[in-house]
């Protein structure tokens, strides 16, 4: 009972998501929502290392693309069975993530952001230039859909939607377990002050590396899902703009919050689609919105809601204190 | 001696912040490091706690050479410290800040979180109990659910002590624990340091408040321009000519410079 109550927001989201396909016959809507779920998984990766651990990685579109291209190449060129290729794609991304992290994490803060930005760009260049392997600008065509699991096949839009949703639920639960545990607190301690974290005995380098590797795994997982959902890959998915799109989702939703990636990605992806007619001019709306958010709500929509709730609770408690006891509390500074 | 440095030297480029310093910190005692601003006191702490690598010399803890050890490993051995400016996480509660102090005594990793293992649950409980214990010890049990940004400067100092104590240390290094705290509250912090020693801890502190040092410390080490110029009991230091000249005598000068 209490478990249901504590997680009621997540459960409401889940219920709505489970029933959504019943309310619309419009395949296009379903396609957009599925796509936003896929990006959400990648944004969760970015959130773990950037939001919780405090090391903003700008290479995540690159890792997303490594996952996507690995799956595409393994299935199209190497004829590896789909689910085996799927696992391999995640694994390849994670291994690359490990080695990139090993070097990149020697830098800190904005140097880390710049370093990973360069790594991301190099990944883009490799995909773009290595024609024989990746198809270069022409892209990679004909990535197969996920092969059936037992009796369930993934040909229809609905089945793909539910497959992606299942992965998203798993990722969400994992993130919830992780960030609310002692391990998540360790990451937050590093974000707060790496100096302090070290002096209380935390091997910050190792913790950051683990966090970074998980974050690249999530990006790779999202990439693999993307490849077999969209079924065509071009180098632009690894381009710097993609990373900044992901960063926008994260900042709007709420960096360092559990629900931020979910809310931000869904909102921006769907709004972007409905503003498609404005083409590049839609940045005229997003630009100021982003500036507004960063200034007034640095923890995004979800952070804003949390702050509002905390304030309300605080007021309630103050009121209770005033009516129930006479003891006064010293005011802080 | 619990901690002993021999010929310890730390140079930043051309500046030798700690210059050939030999100090011994006796177990169960209060040792104070004093000296004018820029004397190298904080740097000495930084080098002992593994935060900066030393340029030269040796540091031992219980006879074990810890000169080359990393900060987090030194913390695991039982050497805790606070910083001159408290760097607590202001947007979190006191409890949340302190809970993580015990993390170094736990083993859970990502897979424990993924599988929600009994070990993780047990260790999370242990961290919480430890935090409650040390918050009670420093007298902050009532403040434990308040945000750090909401509590007084003195309470922040106590919270920083609590974080250090949660690591289960044998010795704590306190860098100017009473700075920015009014005189009445300083008395409370002095009592707290005494209480730490009475509970079997060893305390080493840097402090500017002379009166406080003279009544609190068992042993005083005086640094000036990176060099140790004297050490001894409070009486010996008060009557030491070199100290009076270099430090106490030049008191106004040091204060002006500050
Ligand atoms: N990280 C650093 N890099 C360069 N110089 C430093 C560093 N830390 C301290 N110093 C210098 O070392 C000298 C001693 O500083 P410090 O140990 O902080 O003195 P204090 O005795 O006031 O704590 C000062 O001249 C300071 O400028
Ligand atoms: Mg200092």
């Amino acid at each position: 009972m209490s478990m249901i109550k504590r997680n009621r927001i997540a459960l409401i989201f889940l219920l709505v998501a489970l029933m959504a396909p019943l309310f619309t016959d419009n395949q296009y809507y379903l396609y957009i929502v599925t796509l936003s779920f896929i990006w959400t998984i990648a944004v969760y990766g970015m959130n773990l290392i950037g939001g919780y651990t405090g090391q903003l990685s700008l290479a995540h579109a690159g890792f997303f693309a490594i996952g996507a291209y690995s799956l595409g190449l393994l299935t199209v060129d190497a004829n590896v069975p789909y689910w085996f290729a799927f696992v391999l794609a995640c694994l390849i991304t994670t291994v690359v993530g490990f080695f990139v992290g090993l070097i990149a994490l020697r830098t800190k803060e904005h140097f880390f952001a710049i370093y990973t930005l360069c790594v991301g760009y190099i990944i883009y260049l490799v995909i773009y230039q290595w024609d024989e392997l990746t198809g270069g600008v022409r892209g990679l065509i004909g990535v197969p859909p996920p092969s059936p699991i037992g009796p369930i096949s993934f040909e229809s839009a609905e089945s793909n939607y539910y497959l992606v949703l299942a992965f998203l639920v798993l990722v969400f639960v994992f993130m919830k377990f992780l960030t609310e545990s002692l391990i998540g607190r360790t990451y937050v301690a590093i974000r707060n002050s790496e100096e302090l974290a070290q002096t209380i005995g935390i091997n910050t380098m190792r913790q950051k590396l683990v966090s970074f590797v998980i974050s690249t795994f999530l990006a790779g997982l999202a990439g693999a899902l993307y490849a077999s959902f969209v079924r065509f890959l071009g180098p632009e998915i690894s381009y710097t703009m993609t990373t900044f799109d992901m960063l926008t989702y994260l900042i709007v939703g709420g960096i360092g919050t559990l629900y931020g990636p979910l809310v931000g990605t869904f909102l921006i992806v769907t709004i972007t689609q409905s503003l498609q007619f404005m083409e590049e001019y839609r940045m005229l709306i997003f630009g100021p919105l982003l500036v507004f958010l960063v200034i007034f709500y640095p923890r995004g929509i979800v952070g804003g809601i949390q702050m509002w709730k905390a304030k309300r609770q605080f007021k309630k408690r103050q009121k209770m204190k005033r009516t129930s006891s006479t003891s006064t509390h010293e005011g802080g500074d | 001696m619990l901690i002993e440095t021999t010929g310890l030297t730390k140079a930043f480029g051309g500046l030798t912040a700690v210059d050939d310093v030999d100090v011994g910190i006796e177990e169960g005692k209060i040792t104070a490091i004093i000296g004018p601003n820029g004397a190298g006191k904080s740097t000495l702490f930084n080098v002992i706690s593994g935060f900066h690598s030393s340029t030269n010399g040796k540091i031992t803890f219980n006879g074990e050479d810890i000169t080359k050890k990393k900060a987090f490993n030194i913390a695991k051995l039982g050497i805790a410290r606070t910083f001159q400016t408290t760097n607590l996480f202001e947007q979190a509660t006191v409890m949340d800040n302190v809970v993580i102090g015990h993390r170094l005594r736990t083993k859970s990793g990502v897979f424990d979180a993924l599988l929600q293992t009994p070990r993780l649950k047990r260790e999370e409980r242990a961290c919480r109990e430890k935090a409650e214990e040390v918050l009670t010890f420093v007298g902050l049990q009532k403040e434990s659910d308040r945000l750090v940004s909401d509590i007084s400067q003195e309470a922040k100092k106590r919270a920083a002590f609590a974080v250090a104590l949660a690591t289960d240390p044998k010795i704590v290094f306190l860098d100017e624990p009473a700075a920015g705290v009014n005189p009445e509250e300083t008395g409370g912090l002095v009592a707290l340091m005494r209480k730490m020693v009475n509970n079997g801890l060893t305390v080493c502190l840097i402090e500017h408040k002379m009166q406080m040092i003279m009544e609190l410390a068992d042993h005083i080490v005086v640094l000036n321009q990176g060099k140790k110029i004297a050490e001894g009991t409070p009486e010996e230091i008060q009557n030491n000519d070199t100290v009076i000249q270099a430090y106490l005598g030049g008191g106004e000068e040091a204060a002006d410079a500050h």
Side-chain angles (χ1 to χ4, degrees), chain A residues 174 177-178 180-183 185-189 191-204 207 210 214 299 314 317 329-333, chain B residues 51 71-72 75-76 81 83 87-89 96 99-101 103-104 106 108-110 113-114 116 120 124 127-128 143 146 149-153 156 163 167:
Chain A
F174 174 46
F177 281 171
L178 187 63
E180 289 177 359
S181 75
L182 196 55
I183 292 87
R185 284 168 182 278
T186 312
Y187 297 157
V188 173
R191 175 187 77 193
N192 163 42
S193 164
E194 203 166 335
E195 290 188 354
L196 184 62
Q198 274 171 13
T199 49
I200 58 174
I202 292 167
N203 186 344
T204 55
Q207 295 292 335
V210 171
I214 297 172
R299 313 282 307 274
F314 182 72
R317 254 188 299 161
H329 236 283
E330 70 189 49
D333 47 1
Chain B
F51 221 71
F72 69 88
K76 281 183 187 163
R81 69 168 293 186
F83 288 89
N87 46 5
L88 298 166
F89 186 18
D96 282 342
V99 153
I100 201 68
R103 172 70 165 127
L104 78 172
T106 65
S108 291
V110 171
L114 181 59
Q116 295 284 294
L120 177 71
E124 283 180 339
C127 285
R128 184 153 280 274
E143 265 77 11
R146 295 180 69 180
S149 55
D150 279 350
I151 61 177
S152 70
Q153 187 64 29
K156 281 181 194 171
V163 174
T167 64

Side-chain angles (χ1 to χ4, degrees), chain A residues 256-290:
Chain A
T257 65
L258 180 62
Y259 287 93
L262 217 53
V263 173
T265 314
F266 183 78
L267 282 181
I268 302 287
V269 170
T270 49
I271 292 171
T272 311
Q273 287 304 324
S274 41
L275 295 180
Q276 198 106 70
F277 65 90
M278 293 177 72
E279 294 176 8
E280 291 309 306
Y281 293 109
R282 64 176 188 269
M283 286 322 279
L284 282 178
I285 295 176
F286 283 136
L289 180 75
L290 214 59

Side-chain angles (χ1 to χ4, degrees), chain B residues 40 90 92 118 148 176 188 201 210 242:
Chain B
E90 301 263 331
V148 170
E176 303 200 18
L201 278 166
M210 270 315 134
T242 328

Side-chain angles (χ1 to χ4, degrees), chain A residues 49-325:
Chain A
I49 185 71
Y52 285 95
T53 322
Q55 318 294 317
L56 186 63
S57 163
L58 297 177
H60 269 56
F63 291 112
F64 180 89
I66 291 176
Y69 269 91
S70 299
L71 182 92
L73 293 172
L74 285 168
T75 50
V76 175
D77 289 355
N79 285 316
V80 175
Y82 180 84
W83 289 108
F84 187 49
F86 189 85
V87 172
L88 273 181
C90 295
L91 214 65
I92 291 168
T93 317
T94 311
V95 169
V96 176
F98 174 79
F99 286 107
V100 169
L102 215 50
I103 300 165
L105 287 165
R106 291 179 181 280
T107 61
K108 270 176 206 160
E109 292 151 16
H110 42 287
F111 294 104
F112 179 77
I114 293 165
Y115 191 95
T116 47
L117 186 68
C118 295
V119 171
Y121 194 69
I122 290 168
I123 295 173
Y124 165 73
L125 282 182
V126 169
I127 292 173
Y128 191 90
Q129 300 286 352
W130 198 352
D131 241 301
E132 305 95 82
L133 183 72
T134 63
V137 255
R138 278 174 288 115
L140 192 69
I141 308 166
V143 182
S147 51
I149 303 176
I152 317 162
S153 71
F154 300 100
E155 301 284 343
S156 69
E158 279 86 4
S159 58
N160 266 294
Y161 171 84
Y162 283 115
L163 176 71
V164 171
L165 179 61
F167 274 105
L168 179 59
V169 169
L170 286 178
V171 168
F172 177 85
V173 170
F174 174 46
M175 287 319 262
K176 185 175 166 61
F177 281 171
L178 187 63
T179 56
E180 289 177 359
S181 75
L182 196 55
I183 292 87
R185 284 168 182 278
T186 312
Y187 297 157
V188 173
I190 294 172
R191 175 187 77 193
N192 163 42
S193 164
E194 203 166 335
E195 290 188 354
L196 184 62
Q198 274 171 13
T199 49
I200 58 174
I202 292 167
N203 186 344
T204 55
M205 184 66 199
R206 183 169 150 179
Q207 295 292 335
K208 285 193 295 185
L209 187 58
V210 171
S211 169
F212 185 74
V213 167
I214 297 172
S215 83
T216 59
F217 165 79
L218 291 173
L221 171 66
L225 287 168
Y226 177 91
S228 48
F229 179 65
V230 175
R231 309 188 51 186
F232 162 81
L233 295 173
E236 74 284 347
I237 55 165
S238 64
Y239 193 56
T240 316
M241 260 332 273
T242 310
T243 291
F244 282 108
D245 282 342
M246 286 163 63
L247 188 59
T248 308
Y249 306 157
L250 184 55
I251 289 173
V252 169
I255 192 162
T257 65
L258 180 62
Y259 287 93
L262 217 53
V263 173
T265 314
F266 183 78
L267 282 181
I268 302 287
V269 170
T270 49
I271 292 171
T272 311
Q273 287 304 324
S274 41
L275 295 180
Q276 198 106 70
F277 65 90
M278 293 177 72
E279 294 176 8
E280 291 309 306
Y281 293 109
R282 64 176 188 269
M283 286 322 279
L284 282 178
I285 295 176
F286 283 136
L289 180 75
L290 214 59
V291 172
F292 171 82
L293 271 171
V294 168
I295 294 174
F296 295 103
Y297 293 96
R299 313 282 307 274
I301 295 171
V302 174
I305 293 173
Q306 281 174 349
M307 211 159 65
W308 175 75
K309 268 168 92 178
K311 268 191 194 146
R312 219 177 49 158
Q313 246 170 15
F314 182 72
K315 272 191 196 143
K316 234 196 236 160
R317 254 188 299 161
Q318 291 276 306
K319 219 184 247 167
M320 261 169 34
K321 232 186 248 161
R322 238 177 284 146
T323 51
S324 71
S325 86

Side-chain angles (χ1 to χ4, degrees), chain B:
Chain B
M1 291 291 160
L2 187 61
I3 286 198
E4 208 159 9
T5 74
T6 39
L8 197 63
T9 301
K10 175 68 190 175
F12 295 111
L15 177 92
T16 311
V18 173
D19 195 352
D20 196 17
V21 170
D22 299 339
V23 291
I25 297 168
E26 203 178 331
E27 191 162 5
K29 292 278 161 58
I30 299 183
T31 303
I33 315 278
I34 64 170
N37 273 317
K41 307 179 296 296
S42 294
T43 305
L44 179 66
F45 272 24
N46 285 336
V47 175
I48 293 176
S49 58
F51 221 71
H52 288 153
S53 56
S54 60
T55 313
N56 229 322
K58 190 174 163 186
I59 309 159
T60 61
F61 174 65
N62 263 333
E64 181 190 353
D65 188 348
I66 59 162
T67 318
K68 293 264 159 355
K69 276 202 182 336
K70 296 225 170 70
F72 69 88
N73 278 326
I74 288 180
K76 281 183 187 163
L77 288 176
I79 299 174
R81 69 168 293 186
T82 64
F83 288 89
Q84 192 165 346
T85 48
T86 57
N87 46 5
L88 298 166
F89 186 18
E90 301 263 331
Q91 270 72 56
T93 63
V94 173
M95 181 54 137
D96 282 342
N97 270 278
V98 179
V99 153
I100 201 68
H102 202 56
R103 172 70 165 127
L104 78 172
R105 305 291 170 214
T106 65
K107 294 196 163 63
S108 291
V110 171
F111 287 103
D112 292 273
L114 181 59
L115 306 170
Q116 295 284 294
T117 60
R119 174 168 80 172
L120 177 71
K121 296 288 143 200
R122 192 174 62 240
E123 291 185 343
E124 283 180 339
R125 213 177 318 119
C127 285
R128 184 153 280 274
E129 281 166 7
K130 189 73 198 180
E132 279 164 7
E133 178 196 320
V134 294
L135 281 171
T136 307
F137 185 87
V138 302
L140 278 186
Q141 65 275 41
K142 285 215 188 71
E143 265 77 11
S144 70
D145 288 331
R146 295 180 69 180
L147 293 181
V148 170
S149 55
D150 279 350
I151 61 177
S152 70
Q153 187 64 29
E154 185 236 3
K156 281 181 194 171
K157 297 277 184 185
R158 287 176 185 266
F161 281 23
V163 174
L165 293 175
T167 64
D168 274 342
K170 294 193 180 67
I171 177 167
V172 281
F173 286 88
L174 307 168
D175 196 344
E176 303 200 18
V181 165
N182 69 39
E184 301 101 79
E185 291 170 337
T186 303
L189 292 175
V190 166
L192 180 55
M193 283 181 256
R194 285 236 167 79
K195 188 171 159 192
M196 279 151 76
V197 171
N198 290 338
N199 272 266
L201 278 166
T202 305
V203 171
C204 179
L205 77 157
I206 293 173
E207 196 45 76
H208 281 304
K209 296 181 176 171
M210 270 315 134
Q211 206 187 337
M212 167 183 167
I213 288 296
M214 292 304 165
E215 67 187 62
L216 182 66
D218 298 302
H219 189 78
I220 297 177
V221 175
V222 190
L223 292 185
N224 190 24
Q225 298 182 344
K227 287 201 166 64
K228 182 178 83 178
I229 56 169
E231 68 176 313
T233 62
E235 295 76 46
E236 285 165 1
I237 294 301
Q238 268 168 320
N239 301 319
N240 184 305
D241 287 339
T242 328
V243 176
I244 292 167
Q245 255 189 1
Y247 181 53
L248 299 176
E252 293 95 343
E253 212 176 275
D256 288 348
H258 185 59

